Amino acid sequence: MSVSHGMPSRGLSSAETSGGFGRMFPQLPPRRATGLEMALTFGAPGGLMDGGDTGDSQLDPELPAGFTYFGQFIDHDLTLDVMSRLGDHTDPSAITDFRTPRLELDNLYGAGPVVSRHLYDGSPEGKLALTPSGVDLARTPAGVPFIGDPRNDENLILSQFQVAMIKFHNRVVDKLVVGEITDAFGQPLPPKPEPEPPTQQPGVPLDQLLDVENYYDTVFAAARRLVQWHYQWIIVHEYLPLIADAKITRDVEENGPRFFQPGKTPFIPVEFAVAAFRFGHPTVRTSYRVNEDFAAPIFPDDPNAPANPRMDLRGGMTVLPEHAVDWRFFFDVSRTSEPQTAKRIEATLNTQLLNLPVSAVPGARQGALAQPVASLAVRNLLRSETLGLPSGQDVARAIGEIPLTDEELGTTGPVYLWYYVLKEAEVLNRGRNLGPVGSRIVTEVLIGLLDADPSSYRSVFPRWRPTLAETPGRFEIADLLYVAGVVG
């Protein structure tokens, strides 16, 4: 038995183990850098982007709060920059992206159970590791999680979504093994061969000796492909229609990107990674109800507050059963209750994000995080200058749009691309979804990366439709959570 349909084996995936960054609009000049003082005017506590504590009037009437963290999960599947430094002007093409430029879930699978053994539970089928109770990520005694990207433990909600994705994979493995589902091509897995005899069998061909090993390779590869394709389907058919302009999303899905040209070596545009896809930051609420008995702020009012006992949703620590996420409060998974909704996409962030705890800033060290750069907004704006992003007005003109006026932007002159994307959503769409610049960048990059990936469903089998939900051809995040067994 061989691994079928060109599926990768249990070792390194067929993709590169890292990627690179580049520019979506290389013809545009960088916005003139204005430094820390201007970044503080926008992003410091009390600045233009300080939205205070999240009030009811700031909430989106429909977008479930969980999509903020689904977007963060996608981001951690695509980008990890540990090389650029605030204040040091850097050519994006010189930066290594320590994630692959593919929506292939390397933040879940790592490099597979042979190379990334610490992510797996040791089962021959290649199941991912969890705590025995299934409530939390598997961790070291010091609380460090065994996951493909440590940033997915930055906050409790994202950490619990990683748990849900692990359970989704493990359930798909189980369903394949018992014959309850087929692989992505509609083929059932062959039965498991008899165990290999412990003694040498003269004259037995090599294929027969490898039957059991190949069977387990096939189980893992088939499960991973099903999980990847259903995840990709959610991005294209549920996530993008919720957060982007419907006309632009439909145009890119049917006709492909106009401006993002990944070529033979796909890359992540900095206009996406450092600006447009950071639209999720304003959607973070001040606080959340996590389950029937536990509600808490996303971060403490005092960044130096102790982590235990848990009074907020910081990550990096064991999740107890009483703090486990009830997904009914984050996604539309119940017929009897409505989820809480996200904050609107607008050019303000909740105050807690403007004074982050050290645990929420990757690479930050206790005692070494100066207050001005503890603001997520300030960090975003300075990073855009580090990487030489164009202004929002220049990008609008480049895609054929009339830029927002200074009056609409509430500023004068060329403005940060990230701020422009947020203000555009606020002014043109009341914060319900991205405007033309944000929608064009986000949809073109996500769909363009799928089209450039030879292993994605859009490349391998464009007519493929999801198979794991009760309704054939339909699959949403609620279905994923149901298959994972984390909702009833």
Side-chain angles (χ1 to χ4, degrees), residues 31-172:
R31 172 186 167 275
R32 183 180 63 84
T34 48
L36 178 61
E37 183 177 355
M38 182 63 73
L40 291 172
T41 300
F42 279 79
L48 291 175
M49 300 188 74
D50 188 346
D53 291 334
T54 306
D56 290 345
S57 64
Q58 295 175 304
L59 296 178
D60 189 291
E62 295 182 355
L63 182 66
F67 281 104
T68 295
Y69 299 93
F70 183 65
Q72 189 177 16
F73 184 86
I74 294 170
D75 177 60
H76 294 176
D77 188 20
L78 290 175
T79 69
L80 176 56
D81 168 20
V82 299
M83 298 177 67
S84 66
R85 299 175 60 186
L86 297 182
D88 291 348
H89 294 288
T90 307
D91 179 357
S93 64
I95 302 172
T96 298
D97 178 8
F98 288 89
R99 297 265 74 85
T100 59
R102 295 181 176 186
L103 292 160
E104 62 174 5
L105 294 171
D106 60 345
N107 59 345
L108 183 68
Y109 293 114
V114 173
V115 177
S116 302
R117 293 178 62 184
H118 60 291
L119 305 183
Y120 294 82
D121 69 359
S123 61
E125 300 90 353
K127 289 186 179 183
L128 291 155
L130 286 171
T131 56
S133 68
V135 170
D136 191 18
L137 303 167
R139 298 178 184 271
T140 69
V144 179
F146 292 114
I147 53 177
D149 190 320
R151 297 174 299 170
N152 282 359
D153 193 37
E154 281 180 356
N155 62 71
L156 182 142
I157 302 167
L158 182 59
S159 175
Q160 287 279 281
F161 188 76
Q162 180 88 8
V163 169
M165 290 298 295
I166 289 171
K167 290 184 174 182
F168 180 49
H169 167 81
N170 291 350
R171 287 287 291 271
V172 170

Side-chain angles (χ1 to χ4, degrees), residues 206-239:
L206 179 61
D207 283 351
Q208 185 175 336
L209 292 174
L210 296 177
D211 266 355
V212 176
E213 180 179 346
N214 286 339
Y215 168 79
Y216 288 128
D217 286 349
T218 300
V219 170
F220 175 75
R224 179 165 59 180
R225 174 166 278 169
L226 279 170
V227 170
Q228 289 170 335
W229 284 12
H230 282 80
Y231 160 71
Q232 293 167 3
W233 182 273
I234 290 171
I235 292 171
V236 175
H237 295 278
E238 184 180 18
Y239 179 67

